[in-house]
Amino acid sequence: MSDTLTDERISYLRVPDREELPEDARALQDAGREKFGFVPNVVRGWAVRPEHLVKWRAHYDLVMLGDSKLSRVQRELIAVAVSSVNRCEYCSTTHPAFLRVALQEEGRDPHVAHAVQSNPYHAVHDERLTPMERAILSFALRVTTSSHEIGPAEVEFLRASGLDDETIFDVAQVAAMFNFTNRLANATGLKPNPEYHDMGR
């Protein structure tokens, strides 16, 4: 068992040894190592509650990788903006990395990721983003800071920007999921793997 306060310090909580974990939680760690070449700290740190980790990851995959008209770039834009507002060290390191990669795959400027990370409120005016992407970011920020004030006019603005109702729900769900994830990462002191700093650069 790792003592994270004196050993790796990836979490305020204890980090279970792999041998302690049920098969489905170990499988998440193995999948991370196969994909990235390292085990993401989130699937190590949150394995303190293995069943919760597995179910959180299933929801994350559904929201971020599942069927949607939102592109990978659009989902990662939301992730970065929300995580920046919430000052989440873990997600503000990992998701700009994912966004840089996704932008490069579309032949776009990867520096957009830094702009969104640095100040998402300025990014809603960044002309390197499409009008639809700027509308998505604006709505995601509202979900993050003042969801209780959202009204029909803001939904209508998204419709006018080209989103159907299913996709509007997806925007809200990505933003809401990251608000949850950011708060849990902050509360548990989750530290990002250093490899993310160089990803997509």
Side-chain angles (χ1 to χ4, degrees):
M1 181 184 307
S2 299
D3 179 354
T4 58
L5 295 180
T6 57
D7 185 11
E8 296 179 75
R9 303 181 69 90
I10 70 165
S11 172
Y12 297 150
L13 309 179
R14 73 178 187 89
V15 179
D17 287 336
R18 188 179 187 282
E19 293 70 25
E20 293 180 58
L21 302 178
E23 183 177 351
D24 51 3
R26 291 198 307 269
L28 284 180
Q29 295 188 355
D30 293 343
R33 185 181 298 283
E34 182 176 344
K35 181 175 182 179
F36 298 113
F38 58 89
V39 178
N41 284 345
V42 68
V43 294
R44 295 186 59 223
W46 289 357
V48 69
R49 293 284 276 164
E51 182 182 4
H52 295 222
L53 167 66
V54 169
K55 290 182 177 178
W56 167 81
R57 183 65 203 208
H59 182 241
Y60 173 95
D61 286 347
L62 178 64
V63 170
M64 293 301 286
L65 304 174
D67 181 51
S68 174
K69 291 180 183 176
L70 289 177
S71 68
R72 182 182 176 201
V73 163
Q74 290 167 341
R75 289 185 246 202
E76 292 295 348
L77 282 169
I78 297 169
V80 174
V82 170
S83 300
S84 175
V85 170
N86 289 330
R87 301 176 188 176
C88 176
E89 180 184 2
Y90 190 87
C91 294
S92 287
T93 302
T94 57
H95 287 276
F98 299 153
L99 179 55
R100 288 192 297 269
V101 171
L103 287 163
Q104 289 173 355
E105 288 174 350
E106 291 190 3
R108 299 173 62 180
D109 183 358
H111 295 101
V112 169
H114 180 68
V116 177
Q117 178 187 16
S118 299
N119 190 334
Y121 295 99
H122 283 181
V124 299
H125 307 293
D126 195 317
E127 293 187 356
R128 291 172 294 181
L129 299 177
T130 69
M132 179 183 289
E133 288 167 346
R134 295 197 294 270
I136 286 170
L137 276 188
S138 294
F139 190 73
L141 293 172
R142 288 281 278 164
V143 172
T144 301
T145 63
S146 50
S147 61
H148 60 289
E149 296 178 354
I150 292 174
E154 284 147 307
V155 173
E156 285 301 330
F157 181 73
L158 289 176
R159 289 190 182 118
S161 298
L163 279 70
D164 60 24
D165 283 19
E166 290 79 7
T167 311
I168 293 169
F169 184 88
D170 291 348
V171 172
Q173 186 169 215
V174 173
M177 190 267 292
F178 271 92
N179 275 290
F180 167 83
T181 299
N182 293 163
R183 284 160 174 75
L184 189 56
N186 284 343
T188 58
L190 192 64
K191 296 293 184 183
N193 303 71
E195 292 90 344
Y196 287 116
H197 292 286
D198 296 323
M199 189 180 293
R201 294 190 189 276

